[in-house]
Amino acid sequence: MTDWDLLEAAAPSAESVAVASAALRSPDPVERDERAYPLLARWVPELAPEARLALGDELAERFDDPEIQARTFAPLVLAKLVRAGAYRPQWLAAFGRWYPAETDLRGWDPALGWLHAVAHGADLLRAFGEHPEVDPAEPLALGAARLLAPTDHVWDAMEDDRLGFALALTLTREELAEDRAVAWLDRIAEVFATGEPGPMPPFASNTLRTLRVLYLLADRGVRPDWVGGEVRALPHGEAVKQRIAEVLAIAAPYPG
């Protein structure tokens, strides 16, 4: 049994980080979500650079883990590492293979607790999108790929808000040219143009709602934290809004 009170009272060590990281795979939602994750998130700023890289390497491998909770909690801590300045290109590559391909998109499971692949992945997408060593066009394309991936699941736990938030923050990058700020929406337009009469596919519903969130943030600006902070404008907000409106009109032409 892990003595979490003892771990929480001590400074992080290689051994304690290993224990908490292993618990991040646990099917017990209390151990994973209420103990291991907050502890690792708190420790990230205290870790030495080499320890951050080692933890990131371990978490990036989790994208191939057979357990859904292991795959979906890895991006939460990896996002903390990237936002703290740690980065390896292979982390982005591993995330890029997993995020659009994940098929288990449940938000909440009665036994496993929060899984939230789309929302947790969006947190890491945001971290990559803001990192100076990452071309922002790549996270934007990954966001589009996640939106367009076939699924039977209509997002029901604010995944559209989390992904729209991540995309908006990526779009605040000053070095992102206007044409590249809207180019990632072309693939969505192409797919929408192939739609046929009948029930709305879940992926299309998810995409429409996410783009509406992004339109709102492009119009009003986006705060850097989920709970607040100074509003950031999107440098090409008007162009982004225009292109989103054009894409939305393909599936829902009623706005003026």
Side-chain angles (χ1 to χ4, degrees):
M1 293 287 293
T2 301
D3 188 336
W4 289 104
D5 292 334
L6 183 62
L7 282 181
E8 290 170 0
S13 65
E15 294 75 17
S16 61
V17 169
V19 169
S21 177
L24 205 64
R25 295 185 68 257
S26 174
D28 179 348
V30 173
E31 182 176 53
R32 182 184 71 251
D33 202 355
E34 298 180 22
R35 292 293 200 172
Y37 168 61
L39 192 56
L40 286 167
R42 194 188 84 200
W43 280 346
V44 163
E46 303 175 37
L47 298 178
E50 61 272 16
R52 291 179 186 173
L53 292 174
L55 179 58
D57 289 343
E58 180 182 352
L59 294 172
E61 292 178 359
R62 298 261 176 95
F63 291 125
D64 294 318
D65 197 287
E67 297 288 336
I68 177 60
Q69 74 278 358
R71 298 194 301 274
T72 63
F73 269 74
L76 280 180
V77 177
L78 199 52
K80 299 290 186 183
L81 290 165
V82 173
R83 293 190 67 193
Y87 172 70
R88 292 196 203 269
Q90 54 264 40
W91 299 351
L92 177 56
F95 175 66
R97 290 190 296 271
W98 168 73
Y99 194 42
E102 179 59 63
T103 58
D104 189 341
L105 304 186
R106 290 173 293 166
W108 172 266
D109 178 82
L112 295 173
W114 285 109
L115 297 174
H116 238 187
V118 174
H120 291 181
D123 290 0
L124 182 53
L125 186 83
R126 173 259 175 99
F128 284 133
E130 292 187 296
H131 196 281
E133 294 182 47
V134 176
D135 180 350
E138 188 166 355
L140 293 172
L142 273 176
R146 176 63 273 174
L147 288 169
L148 296 175
T151 180
D152 294 327
H153 181 69
V154 175
W155 300 341
D156 57 5
M158 293 187 72
E159 292 91 344
D160 41 4
D161 283 76
R162 287 277 276 277
L163 185 49
F165 175 65
L167 292 167
L169 284 167
T170 301
L171 287 163
T172 64
R173 290 276 293 272
E174 293 287 346
E175 69 271 34
L176 186 64
E178 181 177 308
D179 59 337
R180 300 176 77 231
V182 298
W184 64 281
L185 290 159
D186 292 349
R187 179 58 186 152
I188 299 175
E190 291 170 3
V191 173
F192 276 8
T194 67
E196 298 178 352
M200 174 77 69
F203 87 85
S205 175
N206 298 336
T207 301
L208 286 168
R209 288 183 286 112
T210 302
L211 291 183
R212 288 167 182 153
V213 169
L214 183 54
Y215 186 99
L216 176 66
L217 297 176
D219 184 63
R220 296 183 59 84
V222 57
R223 300 182 188 278
D225 292 299
W226 191 248
V227 294
E230 186 175 349
V231 175
R232 297 181 190 172
L234 277 62
H236 306 295
E238 289 301 319
V240 171
K241 286 195 300 178
Q242 178 61 33
R243 186 58 179 143
I244 289 174
E246 293 168 354
V247 173
L248 291 174
I250 298 171
Y254 45 83

